Amino acid sequence: MSDPAHPGSTVLARLDHALARVEFVTAAIAGLTIFFLMLFAILNIALRKFSDFLLWAGVESKPDWINPVFGYIDVVELSMVLFAVLCISYTQRLGGHVRMEILLNKLSGRTLWIVEALTTLAAICIIAVLARYSVNYFLNAYNIGDSTIDAELPTWPAKLIIPLAFAILLARLSLQLAGYLRLAAYPDAAPVAVPLIAKAEEIARHEIEGATIEIDEIEHDFETGGR
């Protein structure tokens, strides 16, 4: 959401909305990758068990497709990078990453936003270095024709995903840094392009409220016989 009363809110809100669309697509790709890898694993296991059954039954000749999927491990190894890094920026936008908030929970106002800006700046520096070296690894794999051992699949497409994911994350961190600096300058402004981290007390209250609702529903179903 934007805050017209303070400078920069409209631009930040638009950039945040545009980047959020990209992050949603990358997170969806990561989720679909996990889903299809599960189906791929089921297919591989089914073919392996069926092949073992035919061997146990004494069937000497069988179609070539009734065998474990060739290069299964190679495909899984290359696909893991999709759900390992593509959803990092999406998680960062929602504030779902793991971090220590013992000190941050005791801060408020301009001090909180300054500390958040400094930690975000540190994250930008670290990710920028990682992105730089990940590009080198991709170029090296592309130039030498690096491939997996078994099926000899090229590894450069998987290694290209890493700098792309880091580039999206750098864009997200840069937006958040701008958002924190804006809040440091205008502490009474509405937060834009920054995650709002709930305090431990708020999380506990929501969990208690949710548990209470579930208990009330169970008691109601028990009293009415599930009607």
Side-chain angles (χ1 to χ4, degrees):
M1 84 185 209
S2 61
D3 181 12
H6 297 86
S9 63
T10 302
V11 175
L12 277 178
R14 290 178 178 176
L15 292 175
D16 177 61
H17 184 67
L19 185 58
R21 292 183 176 181
V22 177
E23 292 166 335
F24 177 81
V25 173
T26 56
I29 293 174
L32 289 174
T33 300
I34 296 175
F35 175 73
F36 284 114
L37 282 180
M38 293 173 60
L39 296 181
F40 193 36
I42 293 173
L43 174 63
N44 187 61
I45 294 173
L47 290 174
R48 182 184 297 276
K49 293 299 181 182
F50 192 36
S51 178
D52 294 341
F53 171 77
L54 293 180
L55 181 63
W56 173 80
V59 177
E60 297 181 357
S61 60
K62 60 180 180 179
D64 293 336
W65 60 270
I66 306 180
N67 283 302
V69 178
F70 177 70
Y72 166 76
I73 295 179
D74 301 51
V75 173
V76 172
E77 288 179 347
L78 295 178
S79 301
M80 287 176 63
V81 68
L82 291 173
F83 61 82
V85 299
L86 274 184
C87 52
I88 295 179
S89 183
Y90 178 83
T91 305
Q92 176 69 25
R93 179 173 67 88
L94 298 180
H97 56 290
V98 178
R99 67 176 188 173
M100 298 299 294
E101 298 176 353
I102 298 176
L103 175 62
L104 292 178
N105 284 335
K106 299 182 181 300
L107 302 178
S108 61
R110 179 175 281 112
T111 304
L112 172 62
W113 303 128
I114 292 175
V115 172
E116 290 279 20
L118 291 175
T119 55
T120 303
L121 180 60
I124 289 176
C125 296
I126 295 173
I127 297 300
V129 173
L130 294 177
R132 176 68 179 85
Y133 283 100
S134 66
V135 172
N136 290 343
Y137 286 126
F138 155 68
L139 292 176
N140 181 63
Y142 181 81
N143 291 329
I144 68 175
D146 186 38
S147 62
T148 59
I149 296 176
D150 189 12
E152 297 184 351
L153 300 175
T155 62
W156 66 263
K159 293 185 178 181
L160 177 60
I161 297 297
I162 298 176
L164 291 177
F166 283 160
I168 298 174
L169 179 58
L170 279 174
R172 169 54 56 190
L173 290 172
S174 299
L175 274 180
Q176 290 185 353
L177 176 61
Y180 287 133
L181 291 177
R182 170 180 168 273
L183 290 171
Y186 307 99
D188 58 335
V192 178
V194 297
L196 299 178
I197 308 300
K199 294 185 178 181
E201 295 82 358
E202 296 176 357
I203 297 175
R205 185 177 69 253
H206 291 319
E207 291 179 351
I208 292 174
E209 292 175 352
T212 303
I213 293 174
E214 292 180 0
I215 293 175
D216 292 340
E217 291 177 350
I218 294 174
E219 292 178 348
H220 179 268
D221 290 341
F222 179 78
E223 293 175 355
T224 59
R227 295 189 298 274

